[in-house]
């Protein structure tokens, strides 16, 4: 593969889809991961290819250590390298701490935090061999300031920040940068389920007086994936309208 390769997890929908489209526009060959949204991922690949880019859809569950390991081996065997890894896949299972089910805590940590660990663990090996790469992890404002009803989600996204900062220190000497992007409130399927009064309350706390768009987030990821960000590592870029 002559082009640089970007793997985006959870690329079928929402923010991940826009990140995939933007990186394809930047010239990357995009590996669009999905777990359930196969039709959406195939449509995304068609859209990228129709507009002159290159992409493929790859199914694996980021929470599954062995599945990520075999997907990484297969992708590297076929394409030779992955230059940019975007850990975007994420879920919520909201509920108050005192009533939170164990499986809802485990599922959120498993996908959001262990999922990012799994891909970093298996793809950084190949980045080390290539002596370069960029890893971009999606955190959240909830992981920085907390959010009632989201103890599991906030813990996972705070964990992503610790993972990012530690990996940046380990991998910097090998030419690999690791950064996090922490969105505020962005309208996607993830936030669509929130009651209107919660959305209004969130919007009232944003100095820029609007929610974020998927393009607001993808633009920052595109910057971090580019050569313009070569000297940035271990950082958390908050993209939240001042929230
Ligand atoms: P979304 O619309 O619900 O999309 C979530 C994506 O994650 C889907 O593409 C889904 O793919 C994928 N995914 C979930 N579990 C997966 C798994 N086990 N393996 C692989 N892929 C999996 O959410 P979003 O709003 O775009 O959020 C994207 C990221 O931004 C998440 O990490 C989220 O926490 C973060 N974020 C969002 C907001 C916001 O306001 N929207 C704010 C802060 C941070 P499948 O359908 O194929 O399962």
């Amino acid at each position: 593969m002559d082009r640089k390769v970007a793997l985006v997890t959870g690329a079928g929908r929402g923010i991940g889809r826009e990140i995939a489209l933007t990186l394809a526009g930047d010239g990357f060959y995009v590996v669009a991961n999905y777990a359930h949204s196969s039709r959406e991922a195939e449509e995304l690949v068609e859209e990228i290819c129709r507009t002159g880019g290159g992409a493929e859809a790859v199914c694996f569950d980021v929470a599954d250590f062995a599945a990520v390991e075999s997907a990484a081996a297969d992708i590297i065997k076929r394409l030779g390298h992955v230059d940019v890894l975007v850990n975007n896949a994420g879920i919520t299972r909201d509920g108050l701490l005192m009533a939170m089910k164990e499986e809802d805590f485990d599922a959120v940590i498993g996908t959001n935090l262990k999922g990012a660990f799994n891909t970093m663990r298996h793809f950084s090996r190949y980045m080390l061999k290539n002596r370069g790469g960029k890893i971009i992890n999606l955190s959240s404002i909830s992981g920085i300031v907390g959010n009632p009803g989201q103890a599991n989600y906030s813990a996972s996204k705070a964990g992503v920040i610790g993972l990012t900062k530690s990996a940046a220190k380990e991998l910097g000497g090998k030419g690999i940068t690791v950064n996090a992007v922490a969105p505020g409130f962005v309208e996607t399927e993830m936030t669509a389920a929130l009651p209107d009064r919660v959305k209004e309350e969130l919007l009232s706390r944003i100095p820029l007086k609007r929610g974020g768009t998927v393009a607001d987030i993808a633009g920052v990821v595109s910057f971090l994936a580019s050569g313009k960000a070569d000297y940035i590592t271990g950082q958390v870029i908050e993209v939240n309208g001042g929230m």
Side-chain angles (χ1 to χ4, degrees):
M1 173 56 60
D2 295 339
R3 294 189 214 188
K4 285 195 169 186
V5 176
L7 166 65
V8 182
T9 67
R13 302 186 279 117
I15 294 171
R17 182 177 199 281
E18 187 68 17
I19 291 171
L21 286 170
T22 305
L23 293 182
D26 292 343
F28 286 94
Y29 178 87
V30 173
V31 179
N33 158 256
Y34 66 93
H36 307 96
S37 302
S38 58
R39 188 175 46 80
E40 290 87 342
E42 292 299 347
E43 281 170 8
L44 167 73
V45 167
E46 274 171 34
E47 187 172 337
I48 290 173
C49 294
R50 220 179 22 246
T51 49
E56 63 182 73
V58 173
C59 180
F60 60 85
D61 175 353
V62 296
D64 183 335
F65 187 84
V68 177
E69 183 172 28
S70 80
D74 175 62
I75 290 166
I76 296 295
K77 193 170 157 203
R78 288 186 300 102
L79 303 179
H81 49 101
V82 166
D83 306 278
V84 170
L85 164 64
V86 183
N87 280 311
N88 164 81
I91 58 169
T92 51
R93 295 278 189 278
D94 295 353
L96 292 174
L97 175 65
M98 300 256 297
M100 187 171 284
K101 290 186 188 142
E102 184 184 7
E103 67 243 39
D104 288 341
F105 188 84
D106 290 346
V108 170
I109 298 292
T111 298
N112 299 5
L113 179 55
K114 189 170 172 234
F117 161 74
N118 287 342
T119 57
M120 290 167 72
R121 166 75 173 71
H122 294 307
F123 283 94
S124 60
R125 279 178 54 198
Y126 302 105
M127 288 181 172
L128 285 171
K129 279 192 193 150
N130 286 342
R131 296 199 67 80
K134 293 187 190 297
I135 299 172
I136 300 152
N137 297 325
L138 271 286
S139 178
S140 166
I141 191 169
S142 301
I144 299 171
V145 301
N147 201 22
Q150 289 199 314
N152 49 0
Y153 182 79
S154 303
S156 74
K157 293 299 183 178
V160 163
I161 292 174
L163 182 63
T164 300
K165 287 177 180 279
S166 297
K169 291 196 160 115
E170 284 188 26
L171 301 174
K174 308 288 184 197
I176 300 169
T177 64
V178 191
N179 291 291
V181 175
F185 173 70
V186 181
E187 292 241 22
T188 62
E189 278 177 50
M190 182 175 274
T191 49
L194 291 172
D196 284 346
R197 63 173 173 76
V198 174
K199 284 190 201 165
E200 278 158 29
E201 200 276 319
L202 285 170
L203 286 169
S204 74
R205 288 198 274 130
I206 301 175
L208 289 184
K209 299 287 173 220
R210 66 169 178 87
T213 64
V214 291
D216 289 325
I217 310 305
V220 176
V221 172
S222 159
F223 165 68
L224 289 172
S226 77
K228 291 175 186 164
D230 279 351
Y231 200 53
I232 301 176
T233 196
Q235 302 307 304
V236 182
I237 316 280
E238 297 184 45
V239 188
N240 58 26
M243 201 173 180

